[in-house]
Amino acid sequence: DDLDTPQGQAFDWMVSNDLGSGFVDPCTYETLKQRYALITLFFATDGNGWSESQGWLTSIPECSWALLTCVNGNVTSLDLDQNNLDGS
């Protein structure tokens, strides 16, 4: 849980927000790994500086977040080009 890494920041955000609010139950939330990966991507690419980030880092299901396409609750594509991503 190193807060200097995108992975640590994502973990901290999920523990503080998702788990803390009761929105995500890690034992039953089917797309927990998907959600963690997307939140890690957000932190790794300066999501706060994105042109469009509606819904990201909120308690709504990740398939409702901007720029994602999902099928049956699973992300199938991300449309993040031209969205001011930064990082590596």
Side-chain angles (χ1 to χ4, degrees), residues 35-52:
R35 189 172 182 86
Y36 173 71
L38 291 167
I39 294 170
T40 299
L41 173 71
F42 182 89
F43 284 113
T45 59
D46 188 28
N48 289 321
W50 290 358
S51 303
E52 175 62 57

Side-chain angles (χ1 to χ4, degrees), residues 7-82:
Q7 296 86 350
Q9 292 169 336
F11 179 81
D12 183 65
W13 188 91
M14 290 182 76
V15 168
S16 299
N17 295 278
D18 277 347
L19 302 177
S21 68
F23 172 71
V24 171
D25 178 347
C27 295
T28 60
Y29 197 78
E30 292 184 14
T31 58
L32 184 68
K33 291 177 186 176
Q34 170 179 272
R35 189 172 182 86
Y36 173 71
L38 291 167
I39 294 170
T40 299
L41 173 71
F42 182 89
F43 284 113
T45 59
D46 188 28
N48 289 321
W50 290 358
S51 303
E52 175 62 57
S53 62
Q54 184 176 357
W56 286 73
L57 299 192
T58 65
S59 62
I60 64 174
E62 60 272 14
C63 283
S64 298
W65 297 353
L67 309 174
L68 301 180
T69 302
C70 293
V71 175
N72 298 323
N74 296 303
V75 175
T76 56
S77 69
L78 297 89
D79 184 18
L80 298 175
D81 56 328
Q82 307 297 316

